[in-house]
Amino acid sequence: MIRLVRTLAAAATALTLGVLAGCGSDGPGAATAAQSPPTPVARDLASYDAYVVASAENNPLFADVYAIRFQPFAIDRITTGKRISSLGADKSSVLVAAGDENVDRLAMVGGTGDLLPIPGLGRPHAFAPTVVDGVAYYKDIDPAERKDEYRYFAYDLTQQTKKLLFRTVETRFDLTPMDNGRLFSTTSSEDGPIKVVIRSRTGKERFLPLRVNAGGGPLGRDLFAYTTLGVDERGEKQATGMDLLDLDTGKSTHVAGLQPVVWSPDGTQLLAKRIGSTPDGSPTDTALVLLDAAKPDAFVDVRTVPNLAIYFGTWVRGEALPAR
Amino acid sequence: MPNFARIATRATAVAAALAAGIAVAPAASAQSGKESLDLSGLFTDTVVTGSLVLDGNVGKLVNLSSVTQVVDELGRSIGSPRTVALRSGTGNGKLAKYSCLPKTKGNKHFTAFTPAEAFLADDKGKTQALFYAYRQERAREMKTTNGERYDSTQFEICGVGGSDTEGGSRLRRAGVGIAYADAGTTYKIGQNWKEGETPANYTMDLAFSVPIKAVEIAGGISQTPTNKLTGSIGTPFKTDVDVYARNAVNAWWEDSCTGSWMGCRKWSGSKDFHGAVAHSLFEFTPQKAKTVEVGGFQLHAFRSAS
């Protein structure tokens, strides 16, 4: 009798728990993204002016691609859970390095947010793509590993031809073509100061040291905009402002309280963000401002994007950005 | 006394006795002298937990402890949990049927650590788990929020192990778990475990092209087809590490009784060795990776046995 009663009681409890708990389990890969992805929406990427890498949780390790339309202002999430580490784009293509397969692989971003093989190139293990006029610049690590070298390539997205530009032992990043066949990049040894490197068509390199505590940033027409850093009471680096460095003269202009995001296509206007949160916003809000390279102190507010930390990106269309 | 009241009184008495650490024999009922006291539903959940320390190329579990909790046939706690400190463990990594080994050598930035071991021998049997840690430096080139460039560091931790019973005990769950001790931010970028019926052997892959090979236990579970392997970000029974579920992976074997409407009874469970394999992959900045190596990962082996 007792056993029967206990069995019935156990059955009733089990049924109750079953109903409350529901069914299903956490399958492998279920937690690779912080939240479940929304239903993909097909977007016309060509209708946007800029593409940025950003994170709603302000976690650069789990960043995604967002697209911005300036007039009227709109920002849409393009990828979800792709772990984007870098982005390059022109009017025709958006390329990223993404850790969706654990190590970084290059990919072309589709309108639904899918990461697609680059035609003729696939998804190589590579880093830091930039795209200028239909040519993708990127680097990889020599798979032979004999010299632990980085290799830098130019890949013509239309002709589907690849050219090895040069090799280095010390890594370069933000590789960007300049006029007269020159190449811009920055470099640093481990924990060492960041330097700008201008490489001529013949391979001769010129180094410009930046201030001791320098972060990164984008290259405009004449100016390299980079974040300047201070150290807080906990010993952690914090952004204090930005420097606009003239690569020809070596002169720089400091702008306090702003960090660079992306230059306009002609390289004369800089979309930047206010450091820290807005006065009444959360730390992940991004307050965007626009400044003219010729009058950097006279910046205007563009828009505060709530609940999204915007890091960097590429601006491909539209020159005149209206202030809000 | 009505039957319901008598049952409740008896259950309370048993629970109180267990909580006090008093052995309760399946003796005859004091009320009738005929009904035997039914302890068939009582199981003990055991979790062996330690912190992983990576030093040079050696992996070691420190601050090892064993927490036991008596539960009823539906997994409900009876009495208070009991904690026992254990000796820290470094595994030899040569046990043929326990392994998480890379197929390829990896590049110069890849480090394979010697496995760390969690081992417990008690009156219900033996529980053993080996945790193999692998580190891939320069995994990804990233930028900080300030635009500074850095190379990320990834860790894969593969746990493999299980339990065997003795002295008439029967196993209803056995498995391993891995967690990075941060409840606020997700650092886990990959995970894997096996779902479904328990095969004699299986392999699973995850991570930096470092396939993992592990052998699961020779069965002998007579009543099986429902016996299975499964996993989750949470442990199958409540443990302290569940607060880190967003950075956790758990894998275990379980007897079919665990999902049955009547729960696990004295005839439920297995007398054979059972276990599972859990894979986890994490990513950090190089600076954070250095701190993670000093006890950042909480690893555990768990068992539920009668």
Side-chain angles (χ1 to χ4, degrees):
Chain A
M1 181 63 191
I2 289 174
R3 186 163 296 174
L4 175 62
V5 170
R6 287 188 61 170
T7 300
L8 290 172
T13 309
L15 285 169
T16 305
L17 289 173
V19 168
L20 290 175
C23 300
S25 62
D26 299 296
T32 51
Q35 65 280 328
S36 45
T39 304
V41 175
R43 299 185 188 280
D44 178 13
L45 293 182
S47 70
Y48 292 96
D49 298 314
Y51 313 99
V52 294
V53 174
S55 166
E57 293 83 27
N58 196 12
N59 183 354
L61 291 167
F62 287 85
D64 271 297
V65 175
Y66 290 72
I68 295 175
R69 193 178 294 117
F70 288 123
Q71 200 168 25
F73 188 92
I75 183 165
D76 292 318
R77 184 174 193 150
I78 304 299
T79 67
T80 299
K82 301 300 186 189
R83 302 174 59 237
I84 306 297
S85 62
S86 51
L87 177 150
D90 65 3
K91 290 180 179 178
S92 304
S93 307
V94 181
L95 265 56
V96 293
D100 57 325
E101 296 181 2
N102 296 337
V103 294
D104 269 331
R105 295 186 185 279
L106 297 187
M108 187 168 280
V109 179
T112 58
D114 292 334
L115 299 186
L116 310 171
I118 299 167
L121 193 63
R123 292 204 58 191
H125 177 201
F127 306 98
T130 53
V131 183
V132 177
D133 297 333
V135 177
Y137 299 83
Y138 67 93
K139 68 178 173 183
D140 71 4
I141 299 172
D142 187 342
E145 283 282 331
R146 285 190 296 272
K147 295 179 181 177
D148 197 15
E149 285 182 333
Y150 290 93
R151 306 183 301 183
Y152 301 83
F153 295 96
Y155 181 74
D156 189 309
L157 293 163
T158 305
Q159 302 297 323
Q160 299 185 12
T161 54
K162 186 168 80 170
K163 179 183 177 185
L164 176 64
L165 298 173
F166 61 97
R167 297 168 179 260
T168 65
V169 174
E170 197 174 61
T171 184
R172 304 283 166 75
F173 42 102
D174 296 326
L175 191 68
T176 310
M178 303 173 71
D179 55 5
N180 298 321
R182 297 182 301 166
L183 285 169
F184 167 92
S185 65
T186 56
T187 188
S188 66
S189 56
E190 192 169 339
D191 297 326
I194 294 177
K195 291 174 283 189
V196 165
V197 186
I198 308 293
R199 185 182 181 92
S200 72
R201 187 190 299 273
T202 60
K204 188 177 179 182
E205 293 186 329
R206 180 165 68 98
F207 292 85
L208 284 79
L210 304 181
R211 66 164 67 200
V212 174
N213 285 318
L219 177 65
R221 189 176 65 185
D222 305 310
L223 303 174
F224 172 53
Y226 67 95
T227 299
T228 57
L229 305 171
V231 179
D232 67 14
E233 61 277 6
R234 296 172 298 174
E236 295 181 359
K237 291 179 180 176
Q238 299 292 343
T240 57
M242 64 180 177
D243 273 3
L244 302 175
L245 172 66
D246 187 313
L247 297 178
D248 291 325
T249 66
K251 289 184 178 178
S252 62
T253 303
H254 183 71
V255 182
L258 299 181
Q259 277 184 276
V261 177
V262 59
W263 284 97
S264 62
D266 69 354
T268 62
Q269 295 184 91
L270 179 65
L271 189 67
K273 60 183 179 181
R274 292 183 183 274
I275 292 170
S277 67
T278 53
D280 54 352
S282 81
T284 54
D285 291 352
T286 300
L288 295 171
V289 303
L290 184 70
L291 58 86
D292 190 319
K295 297 177 286 184
D297 289 329
F299 56 84
V300 294
D301 289 309
V302 174
R303 180 68 62 120
T304 295
V305 180
N307 304 315
L308 187 69
I310 296 174
Y311 301 132
F312 52 88
T314 304
W315 182 351
V316 297
R317 289 181 190 81
E319 297 297 331
L321 176 61
R324 189 181 183 186
Chain B
M1 179 183 290
N3 275 345
F4 283 111
R6 207 158 55 221
I7 293 165
T9 303
R10 199 162 303 153
T12 305
V14 171
L18 286 166
I22 300 168
V24 181
S29 162
Q31 273 75 26
S32 67
K34 293 180 181 177
E35 298 167 6
S36 61
L37 184 58
D38 184 5
L39 287 177
S40 62
L42 295 182
F43 280 73
T44 300
D45 291 347
T46 303
V47 182
V48 181
T49 302
S51 301
L52 180 66
V53 172
L54 302 173
D55 185 12
N57 68 340
V58 176
K60 185 176 185 179
L61 277 175
V62 301
N63 301 325
L64 265 173
S65 65
S66 165
V67 181
T68 56
Q69 173 72 61
V70 177
V71 298
D72 68 11
E73 64 269 34
L74 292 177
R76 294 171 298 206
S77 299
I78 298 173
S80 303
R82 193 164 60 97
T83 303
V84 177
L86 301 175
R87 192 164 54 86
S88 293
T90 303
N92 63 22
K94 293 176 182 174
L95 298 174
K97 292 189 174 184
Y98 284 23
S99 60
C100 298
L101 300 175
K103 268 185 180 172
T104 56
K105 186 181 173 186
N107 62 32
K108 62 191 280 187
H109 306 291
F110 177 79
T111 304
F113 295 91
T114 59
E117 181 181 26
F119 180 75
L120 172 72
D122 60 13
D123 59 345
K124 296 191 183 303
K126 294 178 176 62
T127 296
Q128 183 181 44
L130 292 177
F131 296 95
Y132 293 73
Y134 297 101
R135 181 183 63 205
Q136 179 69 63
E137 295 173 292
R138 288 173 55 165
R140 303 178 65 210
E141 184 176 284
M142 308 290 296
K143 287 180 181 176
T144 66
T145 55
N146 294 323
E148 298 167 281
R149 175 202 162 280
Y150 68 92
D151 293 320
S152 72
T153 299
Q154 294 180 358
F155 291 92
E156 174 176 350
I157 299 180
C158 174
V160 55
S163 297
D164 203 355
T165 59
E166 57 189 36
S169 291
R170 285 176 179 268
L171 197 62
R172 67 172 183 174
R173 269 199 192 101
V176 295
I178 300 150
Y180 173 62
D182 190 313
T185 303
T186 301
Y187 293 95
K188 184 177 61 178
I189 59 172
Q191 59 189 9
N192 204 359
W193 62 75
K194 192 166 184 64
E195 295 271 1
E197 284 190 31
T198 309
N201 303 284
Y202 70 95
T203 60
M204 286 196 312
D205 298 348
L206 183 69
F208 1 87
S209 301
V210 183
I212 310 300
K213 186 177 289 184
V215 179
E216 171 58 330
I217 324 332
I221 306 163
S222 54
Q223 72 276 48
T224 10
T226 51
N227 290 350
K228 64 175 185 178
L229 294 168
T230 188
S232 174
I233 58 175
T235 50
F237 36 85
K238 186 174 171 57
T239 67
D240 290 342
V241 295
D242 280 342
V243 68
Y244 308 126
R246 68 189 306 161
N247 286 307
V249 182
N250 296 279
W252 64 91
W253 169 90
E254 67 182 19
D255 189 85
S256 57
C257 70
T258 57
S260 72
W261 63 272
M262 61 186 295
C264 293
R265 313 296 297 206
K266 67 180 180 183
W267 58 85
S268 308
S270 170
K271 289 187 171 183
D272 296 304
F273 179 83
H274 293 285
V277 181
H279 286 301
S280 57
L281 183 63
F282 302 88
E283 184 168 55
F284 304 95
T285 64
Q287 293 79 7
K288 191 166 185 66
K290 288 183 172 60
T291 66
V292 166
E293 292 176 5
V294 190
F297 293 109
Q298 299 288 306
L299 309 179
H300 44 282
F302 45 85
R303 172 197 70 191
S304 182
S306 61

